[in-house]
Amino acid sequence: MTPRIFIPDDSGALALGAEKVATAIRQELARRGIDARIVRNGSRGAYSLEPMVEVATANGRVAYGPVKPSDVKGLFDAGFLTGAHHKRWLGSPDKIPFLAGQTRLTFARCGVIDPLSLDSYERHGGLKGLRKAVAMPPADIVAQVTESGLRGRGGAGFPTGVKWKTVLDTAAAQKYIVCNADEGDSATFADRMIMEGDPFVLLEGMAIAGIATGATKGYVYIRSEYPHAVDKMRRAVDVARKAGILGPAVLGSSHAFDMEIRVGAGAYVCGEETSLLNSLEGKRGVVRAKPPLPAIQGFLGKPTVINNVISLASVPIIMDRGAEYYKDFGMGRSRGTIPIQIAGNVKNSGLYEVAFGLTLGEIVDGIGGGTASGRPVKAVQVGGPLGAYFPRELFDTPFDYEEFAKRDGLIGHAGITVFDDTADMLKMARFAMEFCAVESCGKCTPCRIGSQRGVEVLDKVASGIEPEKNLALVTDLCNTMKFGSLCALGGFTPYPVMSAINHFGDDFKPAPVQQAAE
Amino acid sequence: MSMQPASTEIEARTASIVQNLKDLEGPLLPILHGIQAEFGYVPQGSLPVIAHALNLSRAEVHGVVTFYHDFRREPAGRHILKLCQAEACQSMGSDAVAARLKQLLGIGFHETTKDGSVTLEPVYCLGLCACSPSAMLDGEVIGRLDNEKIDAIVAEVRA
């Protein structure tokens, strides 16, 4: 049997040198005259082990990592094609601690299969959800998604089924499914990983959404910072179209659904759904007032389902295994699994899909293993640039939409950035305001002007100019932004700012006056 | 400096891109990406051609071009280096990386070296937050930047 070698071409693995490893392996194969098949898989998400190379052996897959080009000759010498021991040997990928503890529903195939092989996709459970959906009345599909408890994974946590029902119930000649793949939050890369590692699951989820709501056209709006994801998704759409999964008769049924990949242009605010729709229409990415809801008047004024990548990619397994199966995972009103992205200054960085309910401490200290620098953890930002900074005192907070809201935070798109004790929280609060000022679409005053004034006032605090008075002013400004902004950019920027002030007050005190050394 | 094409040529090449894409739903962003891929920037001379074909005012097209960080109004350097400055990269020392690169290249953000070899830009997240600090050089991703990798980048853009 021809040996099979899996070398990820996920962006994160490439950033750590996977292409050079692939080249070295090809050269070594040629030099030794070995006939082997190289599969470029996605990443399993254990980035501290990337580039992680796997070989298929008689006893299953065996992983090696992190592999450097200089390791390649030694791997061949040791006999890695049959899973032999080597200093980079990790054993069965399923038994690697970071991966073994996960519950992979949405990411079940990511890093396992050849992302562009439909065969491989189907052999690993793909298309089962869509096959069931084409035989169901649309209202039953919507009911099943509602029953599963799936909530918008982009950050807002709005029930996906409720959104779909509104679109289903709104009569129109044309409806749309728009996938929000404008994953701009720092510390998040789940959308990127699924698009690069298992693109068909997203296509399948969108086709199901189309059938459920009567939409025949879909768009995936991917940020331009993700060129590899754009390329992979475009190729996946071509493959799916040729195979009859997309087109006038989805899987041979009476349902039509086709889709296009569109690329953003570097505006963070376009991750906000109405701004994204304007951008997709070819306008400035300015936020729209709601109502009307996009579900009633969305893309080009037509009823539109707009969902995040992970929401849509979670639908196939819900259709395949049933609402109860998915709903059994999780806690409270947060049902199912969530791909937590552990990033920044952390030892075991990567994507960890698990049922809702782990505490922040279990995630950061347990799974993450503390900081990469080895210094104490000072703060953890949860939910991207608009998420709150949590101190160690709040590490008992369970990962759940409502529990985080109770602590004046949010889980957002489930990105976690870890900072060690060298972080200056006044600087981070200023950055939040500065980022908002750079990325504001300019439509509403609290966001456009407020963020600019926020930077200036925090600069005064940093310079020791009337710090108490100016901190009171920042607090007042944050209230105005929170309640007066049109969307989450201006409305949520107060989260990082106020959490930094409330939990890390020492960083906002004037620096002690330097005493002259006499 | 890069040679900029003559205005009639800009108009002709723009018209051909517009012709191919104008029937899309919401064609303007794909068109602008197409033009930037063709010229390396969005020339002023392209705007009236687009506006006419899409039945928009020039002001509307100008408004869209200037809204998005990606679209350039003038040619960039031969290489484009994007350095992530978002929170996850900050937690791993991206400020120091930026300072070192600025010093080695002798330019700040949004600037191009005098010899036209490289343009340096900040970017807010490349989705490589599990291997921070990160950068993108001409579309190629680089993670866990350290002094050795920074020096290699500088050598490559100067070559």
Side-chain angles (χ1 to χ4, degrees), chain A residues 53 55 80 203-204 220 236 241 308 310 330 364 411 446 450 469:
Chain A
V53 176
V55 289
F80 90 119
L203 269 56
E204 187 181 346
V220 186
R241 212 176 267 151
N308 168 258
I310 302 302
V364 173
I411 64 173
K469 195 178 141 199

Side-chain angles (χ1 to χ4, degrees), chain B residues 66-78:
Chain B
T66 51
F67 181 86
Y68 295 96
H69 298 306
D70 279 4
F71 299 128
R72 305 169 191 289
R73 308 307 312 281
E74 48 206 52
R78 289 191 299 282

Side-chain angles (χ1 to χ4, degrees), chain A residues 15 47 176 186-187 189 192 219 223-224 262 264-266 279 282-285 343-345 349 381 427-428 431 439, chain B residues 24-26 28-29 33 63-64 67-70 85 87-88 90-92 95 124-127 129-130 141 143-144:
Chain A
Y47 283 102
Y176 295 99
S186 179
F189 43 86
R192 176 185 65 66
Y219 289 95
R223 60 201 299 263
S224 62
R262 290 289 176 88
S279 183
K283 298 173 183 157
R284 289 164 69 88
N345 194 337
S349 59
Q381 187 178 29
K427 184 171 156 266
M428 297 319 296
F431 176 77
E439 298 297 338
Chain B
L24 294 175
E25 292 179 313
L28 188 47
L29 256 63
H33 277 303
V64 172
F67 181 86
Y68 295 96
H69 298 306
D70 279 4
Q85 296 292 291
E87 288 89 344
Q90 288 184 40
S91 78
M92 289 297 282
D95 286 359
Y124 296 100
C125 200
L126 294 166
C129 324
V141 285
R144 292 198 197 126

Side-chain angles (χ1 to χ4, degrees), chain A residues 466-482:
Chain A
E466 298 182 277
E468 279 175 31
K469 195 178 141 199
N470 280 311
L471 275 179
L473 195 57
V474 172
T475 307
D476 187 46
L477 177 64
C478 279
N479 264 319
T480 304
M481 289 176 72
K482 186 172 176 180

Side-chain angles (χ1 to χ4, degrees), chain A residues 163 166-172 174-176 178 273-278 281 283 287-306:
Chain A
K163 215 181 234 187
T166 311
V167 176
L168 173 64
D169 292 344
T170 307
Q174 178 71 57
K175 301 179 189 178
Y176 295 99
V178 172
E273 59 180 13
T274 61
S275 157
L276 186 152
L277 292 172
N278 274 337
E281 289 179 8
K283 298 173 183 157
V287 174
R288 297 177 185 172
K290 288 190 274 194
L293 293 171
I296 293 165
Q297 284 179 40
F299 182 57
L300 300 172
K302 300 292 193 294
T304 302
V305 167
I306 176 159

